Amino acid sequence: MFEVKPVAAERLPELLRLMPKAELHIHIEGSLEPELMFALAQRNGLTMKYPDVESLRRAYVFDDLQSFLDIYHAGTLVLRTEQDFYDMTHAYLARAAADKVVHAEIFFDTQTHTGHGLSADVVISGLHRACVDARTEFGISASLILCFLRHLSEQEAFECLEQALPHRDKLVGIGLASSELGHPPEKFARVFAKARALGLHLVAHAGEEGPPAYIWSALDVLKVERIDHGVQAVKDAALMARLAQDRIALTVCPLSNLKLRVFATLAQHSLGQLLQAGITATVNSDDPAYFGGYINQNFTETFAALGLTAQHAWQLARNSFEASFIDDSMKKRYLDRLRETFENFV
Ligand code: HPA
Ligand code: ZN
């Protein structure tokens, strides 16, 4: 067992920035910064609803998940070509690498874009090409998780899976995103069973705004391996015990929860309670272009608000690798690098 040396509070942000980490909850469309959005609109001959970057950024004020999803969806309209998807993903991976993200598992969806007349092939090819290039350019490994949009029907999720199958080799897993309330996981039981039979890893957003019951059904009906968000689990002691016992990881996104008013302040965030209960929580950015920060900003602001320590930093970074879908030899390599960073930090 590695012993973490105490680190003074004022040195903690530096350690958080330096430590290698995996990001497991990032929607690539949510990494599209206004500057790139305007550039893509111009390249594609489209007119933006806002006159400039600053006025667009000022519109990023949300009451809840749905008010965010509406503006997020409008932003995706500038994505028209394979190169657009490449450029967006390349920009995220460059930014993530600067935050010492050494491995990313990236959420995307095709239903938004097929709804705009694009093919799933264009989306997946652009994303995948950027992931491949990032390995040599930034030394970062990246894989793709296709999310079904839960406000759409089960039938549409089946069609989405069907269209993605020619690209099966480019996907590591399947997820479930979009409007949570009123769309419980069990709505997608059969299509998740099909994805499972195809050997895909399974995750789902649950317990972001929705009740603990949605986390239970994501686990027991969909049979997911990780829960995205899951912060509502603290309301259910039996669920907390289950998550700890079965080592089900939660991909927590503190700044997202703050901006979408899941918690009124970061000081009220449940991350500390989750860790205290022995749950494999991780820290992630969700939609960094919209929520005020990439992964290191999530770490530094949350640590300051909750008074977390170097021991928590070690645990969270370790959890990010343990919970990832990389093979054991790669896991070991990343965990060795993490240990070296902590040993050499003086
Ligand atoms: N929740 C659900 N769906 C999403 C989110 C989120 O935080 N971000 C992008 N799609
Ligand atoms: Zn999310």
Side-chain angles (χ1 to χ4, degrees):
M1 182 65 189
F2 176 65
E3 197 180 324
V4 179
K5 286 176 286 191
V7 172
E10 65 271 18
R11 300 279 325 277
L12 203 47
E14 193 187 338
L15 177 63
L16 292 167
R17 282 193 283 271
L18 275 176
M19 67 182 189
K21 52 187 76 75
E23 178 149 58
L24 307 178
H25 187 160
I26 154 80
H27 301 263
I28 199 64
E29 296 92 344
S31 75
L32 186 55
E33 293 286 348
E35 288 79 2
L36 184 55
M37 207 183 280
F38 272 83
L40 296 183
Q42 184 167 34
R43 186 158 91 187
N44 292 322
L46 303 167
T47 309
M48 293 288 292
K49 226 176 84 183
Y50 293 87
D52 52 43
V53 163
E54 289 69 34
S55 45
L56 176 56
R57 269 195 205 282
R58 275 198 297 276
Y60 291 177
V61 179
F62 315 111
D63 299 317
D64 55 15
L65 175 59
Q66 192 57 51
S67 65
F68 157 69
L69 289 170
D70 294 342
I71 202 155
Y72 167 85
H73 181 258
T76 64
L77 287 164
V78 302
L79 297 160
R80 301 298 307 166
T81 67
E82 194 260 6
Q83 189 64 42
D84 297 342
F85 288 93
Y86 178 94
D87 290 344
M88 170 173 64
T89 309
H90 182 270
Y92 161 69
L93 289 166
R95 183 66 188 72
D99 275 10
K100 290 290 191 292
V101 171
V102 292
H103 176 71
E105 296 183 0
I106 298 176
F107 291 146
F108 73 105
D109 75 81
T110 53
Q111 289 170 292
T112 298
H113 312 291
T114 55
H116 301 160
L118 306 189
S119 73
D121 309 309
V122 160
V123 179
I124 300 174
S125 299
L127 263 56
H128 181 253
R129 189 161 62 85
C131 291
V132 171
D133 287 356
R135 198 172 279 263
T136 38
E137 200 176 350
F138 309 121
I140 184 171
S141 54
S143 45
L144 297 172
I145 298 178
L146 170 62
C147 288
F148 300 133
L149 298 184
R150 68 203 301 160
H151 68 279
L152 300 178
S153 68
E154 180 198 35
Q155 176 58 32
E156 286 165 300
F158 269 112
E159 287 162 14
C160 168
L161 182 58
E162 199 61 38
Q163 290 162 5
L165 281 189
H167 302 280
R168 164 68 187 86
D169 60 321
K170 303 185 186 76
L171 304 177
V172 72
I174 291 292
L176 187 63
S178 187
S179 320
E180 186 181 10
L181 289 169
H183 302 285
E186 53 271 28
K187 176 176 166 185
F188 299 94
R190 292 187 296 188
V191 69
F192 266 66
K194 180 166 180 191
R196 190 159 172 257
L198 290 164
L200 288 155
H201 286 289
L202 303 179
V203 299
H205 283 55
E208 178 183 14
E209 291 183 337
Y214 284 22
I215 302 177
W216 283 110
S217 64
L219 293 174
D220 292 335
V221 181
L222 299 189
K223 303 195 184 307
V224 301
E225 297 155 78
R226 298 195 300 243
I227 296 285
D228 298 309
H229 293 294
V231 291
Q232 303 297 340
V234 291
K235 294 176 176 163
D236 181 335
L239 177 57
M240 292 286 275
R242 165 81 185 278
L243 294 169
Q245 176 90 37
D246 290 355
R247 305 173 66 87
I248 306 290
L250 303 187
T251 62
V252 176
C253 308
L255 288 177
S256 165
N257 296 153
L258 181 68
K259 292 289 150 64
L260 301 188
R261 307 195 186 187
V262 173
F263 298 97
T265 66
L266 271 188
Q268 287 162 276
H269 198 282
S270 60
L271 179 65
Q273 291 160 264
L274 296 167
L275 290 171
Q276 185 64 34
I279 291 168
T280 309
T282 63
V283 167
N284 308 269
S285 69
D286 205 4
D287 300 282
Y290 292 89
F291 297 149
Y294 285 78
I295 192 166
N296 284 355
Q297 192 79 23
N298 274 271
F299 269 108
T300 52
E301 289 194 31
T302 309
F303 270 59
L306 295 177
L308 302 180
T309 65
Q311 181 67 46
H312 295 111
W314 164 258
Q315 190 65 53
L316 286 162
R318 227 185 86 160
N319 289 349
S320 75
F321 296 118
E322 299 283 6
S324 73
F325 298 138
I326 52 183
D327 65 34
D328 286 345
S329 73
M330 230 165 125
K331 242 177 228 186
K332 182 174 179 324
R333 240 184 308 141
Y334 287 140
L335 288 168
D336 286 346
R337 276 172 68 178
L338 177 64
R339 191 173 328 102
E340 281 162 30
T341 305
F342 272 71
E343 279 168 356
N344 297 332
F345 189 80
V346 280

